[in-house]
Amino acid sequence: MYAYCGMSSERTALCRFQIWQLGYVPPGYSTIMVEAVIYITGMLLYAIRWPERWIPGIFDHVGSSHQLFHTCVVLGVLVHYYAALQLFEWRASLY
């Protein structure tokens, strides 16, 4: 479910670009792809329980997979905000 949510912004953007039938990729699309990579990386870190699975006892309180997961979520949100600003500026320049 989390992976689907992470990829939903990419799918929506792709559909919109196909509908507009643009001859190029607008700014912000590559940033949306980076967002998806960040979300999926966070999901995988949490799913495989890295690093506390391989080094038990060291990362129980600081640096656990759950904390890394939340860090990836915050980074994904910041990247999404930056992509939205890029797309807003591009859209405003059309008019």
Side-chain angles (χ1 to χ4, degrees), residues 4-90:
Y4 176 76
C5 291
M7 294 299 292
S8 65
S9 60
E10 183 270 328
R11 292 180 64 220
T12 303
L14 183 61
C15 291
R16 286 184 184 160
F17 298 150
Q18 288 175 351
I19 290 171
W20 293 339
Q21 296 178 359
L22 296 173
Y24 64 94
V25 177
Y29 184 72
S30 60
T31 311
I32 291 173
M33 296 304 294
V34 170
E35 171 193 356
V37 168
I38 290 171
Y39 280 136
I40 290 177
T41 301
M43 178 197 67
L44 291 175
L45 289 175
Y46 187 61
I48 64 173
R49 302 282 192 229
W50 184 86
E52 67 266 12
R53 181 178 183 182
W54 286 283
I55 310 171
I58 302 293
F59 297 102
D60 289 343
H61 298 290
V62 177
S64 68
S65 61
H66 191 83
Q67 293 168 345
L68 296 174
F69 165 77
H70 282 291
T71 302
C72 287
V73 168
V74 170
L75 287 174
V77 168
L78 292 173
V79 169
H80 185 85
Y81 180 73
Y82 179 69
L85 287 178
Q86 285 181 325
L87 287 169
F88 177 76
E89 290 173 359
W90 171 73

